[in-house]
Amino acid sequence: MLVDSFGRTIDYIRISVTQRCNFRCVYCMPNIPMNIGSEEEDVPLEGVLSFIKVAINEGVKKIRITGGEPLLRKGIVDFIAQIYQLNPDIDIALTTNAYLLAPLAKPLKEVGLKRINISLDSLKKETIQCISKRNGLEKILQGIEAAKKEGFLIKLNMVPLKNINDDEVLDILEYGMHLGVGVRFIEFMENAHAKNDTKGLKAREILEKIEKKYTFKLLQQDIFGPATLFEITQAQESYIFGIIAPHNDDFCKTCNRIRLSSEGKLIPCLYHENAIDIKEAMLYGDSQEILKSLKLCIENKPEKNDWNENQTSMRAFYKTGG
């Protein structure tokens, strides 16, 4: 079991399998060339599996595959199958923009993937184009529908941005309600790679938009993630939505996560710049060195992040999976 110096059990690892992405979202990597990197620059998936074996042996129970856009990675279906074969009880999840998801939904379900988080920042074609620099709404919705058909546990992630999509908070919420899937609203994470002057809604502002139409009550922390949950109860029906608010001090109290970047770096906290390079150990399948670095990463995990509204992180979220 992995326990940090503040008594938190670390049993959840987010693994970025590539920094490459087919979107250029304003809050993430708008100024990065579309032809960034190549498959050869990503740590080989066999090496990543060497790390995963050690992590599972140390008590990790949940693994989320991220990017960049993880569905760009060749062999991603076989990779997830191999994780499942290591331990069928591992909760394997994926975060994707869904642009490539529709034809892969069934194969991913068949090899053991359980959960999918899908970025959906708008239901308007022109707004998706504005945010991501890609005319992708149709394919995104097709991906969501395919995932729903296959029976995945689905969460839709929206980053509400001022003067861009902040008028769609209720629309995205009601789309999730109608589809019967969860919605998570995520506060914009200030970072040096985002478009200049990008401003997001804070949790309070998001809730104010929702309460104009719905009444809700606070529930609890999401046991599968960092969201604070709220329940809407109207017309004898209930619906649960969540808000991920890293600006809130409570965000860190129950943090059970570390990250592995596509470059082979272990990151104890998203909003700290420290990291441990384990690429070589993964390439050689050196389980002892991997374990040593994993324990050091847990030891270095801070009590809380360094986030404040006047400080911009230099961390590239497209390399760490956000």
Side-chain angles (χ1 to χ4, degrees), residues 218-235:
L218 176 67
L219 287 181
Q220 59 185 12
Q221 194 77 16
D222 187 347
I223 62 171
F224 291 111
T228 299
L229 301 181
F230 301 84
E231 182 180 19
I232 294 173
T233 304
Q234 290 185 215

Side-chain angles (χ1 to χ4, degrees), residues 278-289:
I278 64 166
K279 182 176 180 178
E280 186 172 348
M282 289 195 295
L283 290 176
Y284 288 100
D286 187 340
S287 58
Q288 290 187 338
E289 187 62 30

Side-chain angles (χ1 to χ4, degrees), residues 33 35 40 49 61 63 76 80 87 125 127 129 138 149 157 217 232 251 254 270 308 317 319:
N35 60 349
E40 290 70 29
L49 278 170
K61 298 177 181 178
I63 294 171
I76 191 66
I80 290 173
N87 185 342
K125 180 179 177 179
T127 304
Q129 177 92 42
E138 183 177 354
K149 180 180 178 181
N157 293 336
K217 62 181 179 180
I232 294 173
F251 180 79
T254 58
L270 187 61
N308 68 67
F317 295 148
K319 294 183 179 180

Side-chain angles (χ1 to χ4, degrees), residues 94-130:
L94 176 83
T95 295
T96 175
N97 59 34
Y99 189 82
L100 301 173
L101 180 59
L104 291 174
K106 185 175 179 64
L108 287 167
K109 183 68 174 179
E110 290 174 344
V111 299
L113 186 67
K114 298 178 174 68
R115 303 174 181 275
I116 299 183
N117 282 19
I118 297 172
S119 297
L120 181 65
D121 289 319
S122 176
L123 291 169
K124 299 175 182 177
K125 180 179 177 179
E126 61 276 12
T127 304
I128 288 290
Q129 177 92 42
C130 172

